[in-house]
């Protein structure tokens, strides 16, 4: 049986919980966005309410295996304490916290210092290049000490909960290796992880049709794995944003100064052919709002995406494209959106992304399941104030994209044994 956080009896137990408290801080160490802390609260509060004791662990930033005060989790202890409504104790060395962990009583909370102050967390050898003949040996030694590190963390608690979706695609000591030191009845996913895994499941394996996927952003190359996986699942595939111009050029168009991957023209033609062969309705932006420079105050020109004059670049989807996008979203029952349809950071070039956001919100009102994920598209729906009009906004960037590509996430596999 797979243990769940709702089944487990936390009373009198110590739970070590991997969260993603990699929150942005300003120069004074003040948290500028506490979404990640709020995201973990249901799991943490549940464990405390059930009479468990909490050991919270996380990474912050990229200290690369070295102690660095800039990335110390001590800076967020007060914020976590406030959010949880209870005192949070701090262990200044995550690998030397056994005594503090042993002393914990039900209802008490201990937060460990940044796991990435130890190179063992990520398990990559430091100070040696891959080309070095001694690299393989160093890697082997590091893997062995990573296991020891994970075992130490595991020794603090009776059970392990992983609620850090943002790092679920990494096989790190605290996200995956640690799970080997707990038997199946004593390890589980937290609420946030469960929700994320379910959201991906809805998109990949529990599809209500028609299914429309919207992929935007800057480049085809970074999205190709996902596009190919989705090609086998969707009814409508909208490809927009900077990718538009690689497709336009591949089909013989002229794209002026637009962002374009010249080494991906064949790939673009292949995607068009695959869509045709699989009966997928591929929707590409036929017209664009162009600028005479990459700036919000650029002069504007609307023209076909394959006939952009020299000196101009496509920065947003044009009116015809917006209509076509909305049509492919209308009536959809499953929707996935990743990546904006234009340079939405410039207020004068948000129209395409806004048209998509509105169509997605409308379809959701009419019963569609909509998942928005991957950094920028989340920023987009937030910018347009539509976050509460979609079904689910994923907290995971890379983890979500890898999951949608169909890859097994080590953080999930370590618990579910897949
Ligand atoms: P990605 O990280 O690949 O999802 O790309 C997101 C970025 O793509 C955003 O910062 C957008 O500004 C950018 N983007 C979208 N459309 C365009 C475009 N037509 N030209 C240049 N950048 C774009």
């Amino acid at each position: 049986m797979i243990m769940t956080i709702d089944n487990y009896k936390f009373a009198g137990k110590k739970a070590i919980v991997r969260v993603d408290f990699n929150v942005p801080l300003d120069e004074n160490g003040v948290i500028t966005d506490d979404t990640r802390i709020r995201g973990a609260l249901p799991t943490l509060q549940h464990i405390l309410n059930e009479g468990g004791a909490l050991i919270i662990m996380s990474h912050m930033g990229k200290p690369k295996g070295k102690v660095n005060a800039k990335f110390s989790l001590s800076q967020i202890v007060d914020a976590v304490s406030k959010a949880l409504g209870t005192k949070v104790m701090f262990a200044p060395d995550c690998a030397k916290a056994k005594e503090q962990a042993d002393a914990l009583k039900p209802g008490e909370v201990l937060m460990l210092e940044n796991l990435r102050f130890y190179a063992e967390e990520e398990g990559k050898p430091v100070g040696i290049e891959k080309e070095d003949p001694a690299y393989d040996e160093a890697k082997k030694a590091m893997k062995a000490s990573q296991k020891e590190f994970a075992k130490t963390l595991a020794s603090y608690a009776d059970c392990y909960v992983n609620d850090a979706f943002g790092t679920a695609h990494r096989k790190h000591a605290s996200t995956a290796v640690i799970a080997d030191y707990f038997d199946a009845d004593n390890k589980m996913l937290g609420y946030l992880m469960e929700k994320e895994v379910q959201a991906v499941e809805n998109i990949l394996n529990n599809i209500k049709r028609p299914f429309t996927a919207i992929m935007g952003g800057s480049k085809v190359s970074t999205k190709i794995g996902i596009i190919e996986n989705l090609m086998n699942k969707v009814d409508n595939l909208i490809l927009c944003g900077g990718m538009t111009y690689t497709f336009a050029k591949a089909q013989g168009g002229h794209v002026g100064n637009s962002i374009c991957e010249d080494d991906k023209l064949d790939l673009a033609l292949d995607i068009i052919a695959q869509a045709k062969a699989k009966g997928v309705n591929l929707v590409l932006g036929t017209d664009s709002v162009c600028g005479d420079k990459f700036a919000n105050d650029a002069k504007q020109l609307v023209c076909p995406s394959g006939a952009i004059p020299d000196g101009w670049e496509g920065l947003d989807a044009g009116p015809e494209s917006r209509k076509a996008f909305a049509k492919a979203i209308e009536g959809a029952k499953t929707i996935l959106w990743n990546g904006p349809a234009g340079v939405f950071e410039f207020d004068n070039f948000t129209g395409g992304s806004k048209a998509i956001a509105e169509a997605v919100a409308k379809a959701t009102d009419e019963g569609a399941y909509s998942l928005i994920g991957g950094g920028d598209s989340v920023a987009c729906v937030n910018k347009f104030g539509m976050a509460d009009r979609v079904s689910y906004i994923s907290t995971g960037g890379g983890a979500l994209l890898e999951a949608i590509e169909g890859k097994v996430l080590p953080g999930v596999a370590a618990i579910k044994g897949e």
Side-chain angles (χ1 to χ4, degrees), residues 216-220 222-223 240-245 258-259 288-289 294 313-317 338-346 353 374-377 401:
S218 52
K219 291 176 176 174
V220 189
T222 54
K223 306 274 161 93
C240 52
M243 282 189 249
T244 309
Y245 309 101
S258 307
I259 186 171
S288 293
V289 181
F294 189 80
E313 58 189 297
L315 296 177
D316 196 8
N338 167 262
V343 186
F344 79 103
E345 295 92 335
F346 297 157
S353 304
D376 282 325
S377 25
L401 299 186

Side-chain angles (χ1 to χ4, degrees), residues 320-336:
E320 242 182 50
S321 309
R322 294 177 201 179
K323 264 192 220 146
F325 297 165
K327 196 163 161 245
I329 295 166
E330 195 184 297
K333 287 284 167 271
T334 304
I335 300 170
L336 167 70

Side-chain angles (χ1 to χ4, degrees), residues 329-333 335 358-370:
I329 295 166
E330 195 184 297
K333 287 284 167 271
I335 300 170
E358 274 163 6
V360 172
K362 186 160 174 275
T364 311
D365 287 344
E366 289 163 5
Y369 177 83
S370 53

Side-chain angles (χ1 to χ4, degrees), residues 206-221:
N206 186 17
I207 303 164
K208 305 217 173 22
R209 296 195 178 277
F211 178 8
T212 297
I214 307 134
M215 303 297 299
S218 52
K219 291 176 176 174
V220 189
S221 50

